[in-house]
Structure formats: C-alpha cells, structure tokens
Amino acid sequence: MHLAVSLNIAAANGQDILDFGQISAFVRNLEAAGVDMVIISDSADAPSNSPFEATTLLAALATVTDRIGLVASASTLAHQPYNLARRLASLDIISHGRIGWNATLRQNPREAANFSRPEGFSDDDFRRRAEEYIDIVQGLWRGWDADALLFDKAGGRFHDPDKMHVLDHKGEFFAVRGPLNIARSPQNTPVLVMSASGGADRDFASRVADVILIEEQSAEAANAVSADLRRRALAAGRKPAAAKVLLTVAIGSEPNVDRRRALPGSSGCDGLHLALPADVQGLQSFTDRVLPEIRRHELASQSREGATLRARLGLGEGGAK
C-alpha cells in the first residue's frame, strides 16, 4: 500500500507558524516510518503566513532526507510554466529523483489578485488555461533525450541536436519555445500529482497524472471513482493502472488505523493520502499518535526498491504513457 501525507505550511491567523526545524523533523519522521511522499502546500483562502514558499522549501528538505518523495503544490496562476518546469527539474536533480508537483486545478481569488488578474478567470477559461499549462510543463520536461547532453569539450559539442526537442508551443494562453536550459530530470519527468473531483478533473487527470487523489466518503464510492478513472485512462490510450489512485482521509484526533488499513483494498485504490490539520498541535498529535500506529500495522513499506519517487510508487518512465 502506498502512503502520502500532506502538510499545509500556511498558518492562519492565531496559529503558530512552523519553522524549518519543525517541518524537517516531521518529514524525517515520515521517512523513518516508510511514508512514500509528503505533499507541501502553502496556500489558504483566508489571510495566512509562512516563512517559506513550497517549491523552494523542497530544496532544503532534500538535503536532510534520503528516500521520501518531496512534492510541492504549485498553482498555475502563481508561476509561469517555463520557470516552474525548470525549478522542479532542478529540484529533481538536487534530490536525486524524488520530486513531484501537485498541480492544483482550482483558482484562489487571493492568488489571482497578486498576479495581475484581480478579476480572476472564468471557471471555463481557468480550466483550459490550467490544462494547457500542465501540458507545456510536461512537454518541457521531455525536451531532452536521456543521452542528449554530450559535454564533448574536445569535439566542441555540448549536446546532440537530434536529441533536443524544441517544444515551440503556441496556444490559447501561452507561447513557449523551449527547451529547458537544464539537464534532463533523473526521473525523466518529476511525478505529477492531481486531485480529481468532477468529471472534467477526472478526464484530464486520467490522461496525464501519475498520482490521482480522490476524496470519496465511503469505500463503495471510492471504488466507483477508481474504476471510472481507470476506464478513462484506457480511453486516453494509457494503461488502466498507469496512475496510482490514493484515497484522501482527513486526520482527526483518533488514529483509527485498523479502519484505514482496510480502506485501500475495499476502495479499489492503491493507497491512502492522509491530510493533516495546518497547525503545530496537529503535527505533534500525528507524530505521537498516528506514526507509531503506521509503523506497528505496517501501513507503509520501508523496503521498496528504487531510489526515485517513480520507482518507489511503481510508476513507469516519465511522461503520459
């Protein structure tokens, strides 16, 4: 069973702000318990504070961890696709192949107002723009073949031009030539994580995502959604199990580990995504009460083969295959 834990580092008014020592200690505890990946976000609908931005925080976390996957939530409003693709590819090199991107498909009015769109987008325009954005990022990640960079000083050849692919994207919302001016990611492409609620989300996630998070309230509903996602993936030309489906479970005051242990099998999912409260007390409670139960009941594996996040999750090579 695969296990992901999400952590929102944006502290609302009245909450204690998490410092790097607290965050890094928590992530190391997750790693020791065998958790596959931690998802870091720093967004909130209400006013909030954090000393960190999620993607750059991953660079620091990569230096104090060895195995756990490090995933940043980053919206398509707050970043240009070329810059985000380059940053995540660089982080994947720094972490030796442990990076993922949680691509959010919901617009936050507070973000829009900070990025020259005070009126935001219509829901339809935002969705089309987000889908175009994600396709660009994945296309840029695939811009260099694995053996394209030669570093041939004697022959004066930095790369093999036949193995460099110019994206040359001209779309409704973006124009991006490419390729990235950075080496190919150790994973070929970092892991793409997406949430799927409505039908449009499921269609797009089934086509491009590596990990899909769902939030159904019962095992029966989750089973139906999981089967639907696999049907859509097949219709899009992918293998039905190309993406891992994780069922989101909100963590309350009681661990309920026995119930959670049974959920993936009964829901047709590949594992669980545990969503934590965004406060210091929530982290401490999870560390003291839930992590020992995860270890005791072996909810997470500490011995999966492979150094990269893709290998740990049992995913194929990077790209929407």
Side-chain angles (χ1 to χ4, degrees):
M1 182 179 81
H2 295 293
L3 191 61
V5 173
S6 66
L7 172 62
N8 190 341
I9 59 173
N13 288 343
Q15 291 181 326
D16 292 330
I17 295 175
L18 296 170
D19 61 33
F20 181 70
Q22 291 167 318
I23 295 170
S24 60
F26 179 71
V27 173
R28 288 197 300 269
N29 283 332
L30 296 180
E31 182 174 67
V35 172
D36 290 300
M37 61 183 179
V38 58
I39 303 172
I40 304 288
S41 65
D42 61 350
S43 62
D45 293 331
S48 62
N49 295 285
S50 171
F52 308 107
E53 183 273 330
T55 61
T56 50
L57 177 61
L58 297 195
L61 290 174
T63 67
V64 297
T65 57
D66 299 307
R67 302 183 309 278
I68 192 169
L70 303 170
V71 180
S73 295
S75 82
T76 56
L77 276 176
H79 310 268
Q80 282 292 312
Y82 186 93
N83 283 343
L84 184 62
R86 184 172 184 262
R87 190 180 312 141
L88 291 169
S90 178
L91 286 168
D92 208 47
I93 295 169
I94 291 170
S95 67
H96 305 290
R98 295 187 287 129
I99 295 299
W101 171 33
N102 182 25
T104 55
L105 290 180
R106 294 289 180 268
Q107 61 179 324
N108 183 328
R110 299 183 66 85
E111 274 189 336
N114 286 327
F115 294 94
S116 304
R117 296 294 305 205
E119 73 284 4
F121 293 89
S122 71
D123 289 343
D124 188 54
D125 283 353
F126 181 81
R127 178 172 297 283
R128 295 200 317 278
R129 182 182 180 278
E131 292 185 2
E132 183 180 339
Y133 186 114
I134 293 168
D135 283 341
I136 291 169
V137 170
Q138 288 196 313
L140 289 169
W141 282 339
R142 294 191 293 266
W144 296 95
D145 289 348
D147 55 350
L149 300 182
L150 303 175
F151 303 109
D152 179 7
K153 185 181 292 187
R157 293 200 305 162
F158 171 72
H159 70 279
D160 182 341
D162 292 333
K163 297 180 179 181
M164 179 197 77
H165 310 290
V166 176
L167 184 65
D168 199 23
H169 173 87
K170 296 181 178 66
E172 182 181 2
F173 297 97
F174 300 100
V176 180
R177 182 180 185 274
L180 291 178
N181 58 346
I182 193 168
R184 187 180 177 93
S185 155
Q187 299 186 97
N188 296 326
T189 70
V191 171
L192 178 62
V193 180
M194 296 176 67
S195 296
S197 51
D201 287 353
R202 293 182 198 172
D203 246 359
F204 188 54
S206 296
R207 179 167 69 84
V208 301
D210 297 304
V211 177
I212 303 174
L213 309 178
I214 64 173
E215 297 184 359
E216 296 349 279
Q217 297 301 307
S218 68
E220 293 76 13
N223 207 329
V225 172
S226 179
D228 181 52
L229 288 167
R230 300 189 197 288
R231 283 193 296 270
R232 292 173 191 252
L234 184 62
R238 302 179 78 190
K239 295 179 180 179
K244 302 299 180 182
V245 180
L246 304 185
L247 178 60
T248 298
V249 177
I251 296 295
S253 59
E254 295 298 326
N256 291 324
V257 169
D258 284 334
R259 176 177 177 272
R260 290 173 189 143
R261 188 181 188 185
L263 267 176
S266 61
S267 66
C269 296
D270 300 293
L272 296 177
H273 164 229
L274 306 182
L276 271 64
D279 57 48
V280 175
Q281 185 177 356
L283 260 66
Q284 193 60 53
S285 175
F286 187 88
T287 300
D288 293 343
R289 299 169 62 84
V290 182
L291 276 184
E293 293 298 314
I294 287 174
R295 293 189 184 98
R296 186 175 301 118
H297 292 270
E298 297 183 343
L299 263 70
S301 171
Q302 300 185 45
S303 58
R304 291 197 178 99
E305 294 182 359
T308 69
L309 180 55
R310 284 192 170 277
R312 188 175 182 89
L313 294 173
L315 297 167
E317 294 184 358
K321 301 294 185 185

